[in-house]
Amino acid sequence: MARASDTAYAAIKDLIQRGEIPPGQTIDESATAKTLGISRTPVREALLRLQAERFVEIGKGKGIRVAPLSSSDMREMYQVISGLEVAAVALLTRRRPSRDDLAELVDETRRMEAAIVADDVDAWGEADERFHRALMRLSGNRKLHEVGCQMRD
């Protein structure tokens, strides 16, 4: 069973990633706890975790707000992600994967191609995201996968 702080973390992070809590907006701990049906302590733990990942900023007397993301932040994150994915490809190729091992990557590539034909940008983005996460997982390096997925988030 998931801990309440893990549930709060996933829910708040999802709201931020989908833009339902936009950059600069404050997050009310009490209201969030009430919405999630849990106490404030796990919400606070989740917010501290999100602060460590730079999703939110917690200021003394200023509340908690979703951190803005600058173009410089984005550029640096993509540089890190690119480096991790190069390492993932190198690790994966050293393992000499079978066709079955690569089936997930092939399937997601086909989904991206179908999305292009259908002019469905959202479907393409979802397939692309699944492709890159699978690539990092298939590298066989758990830390690379964990850090890479965190950066992609």
Side-chain angles (χ1 to χ4, degrees):
M1 183 173 202
R3 294 181 347 190
S5 62
D6 293 336
T7 300
Y9 167 83
I12 298 167
K13 185 175 180 180
D14 182 60
L15 291 169
I16 293 169
Q17 289 175 321
R18 287 188 289 121
E20 291 189 31
I21 307 175
Q25 184 171 323
T26 59
I27 298 174
D28 182 306
E29 280 182 50
S30 297
T32 302
K34 186 175 181 179
T35 299
L36 296 175
I38 57 177
S39 70
R40 284 181 60 185
T41 300
V43 170
R44 181 72 176 168
E45 290 172 6
L47 290 168
L48 289 170
R49 190 169 155 194
L50 289 164
Q51 179 186 33
E53 294 177 8
R54 298 180 60 185
F55 278 93
V56 301
E57 298 171 338
I58 302 174
K60 290 189 177 193
K62 296 182 181 182
I64 302 156
R65 72 181 189 112
V66 175
L69 196 58
S70 70
S71 59
S72 174
D73 290 334
M74 289 293 291
R75 185 174 34 262
E76 289 176 1
M77 285 188 289
Y78 277 105
Q79 288 169 347
V80 171
I81 290 167
S82 295
L84 290 172
E85 289 183 349
V86 166
V89 169
L91 290 168
L92 179 57
T93 56
R94 283 188 200 128
R95 290 181 42 222
R96 296 184 180 258
S98 68
R99 285 182 188 257
D100 288 342
D101 294 333
L102 300 176
E104 186 176 0
L105 297 177
V106 172
D107 290 345
E108 296 307 337
T109 302
R110 287 186 180 133
R111 286 186 183 99
M112 284 185 271
E113 290 169 347
I116 289 170
V117 170
D119 197 27
D120 188 342
V121 175
D122 291 335
W124 184 90
E126 291 166 10
D128 178 69
E129 188 64 28
R130 288 189 303 267
F131 174 90
H132 288 279
R133 288 175 184 269
L135 173 64
M136 289 184 283
R137 182 177 38 75
L138 290 169
S139 74
N141 182 316
R142 288 182 320 214
K143 284 296 179 188
L144 184 148
H145 178 240
E146 180 183 314
V147 171
C149 287
Q150 182 181 13
M151 291 301 297
R152 290 195 69 82
D153 288 345

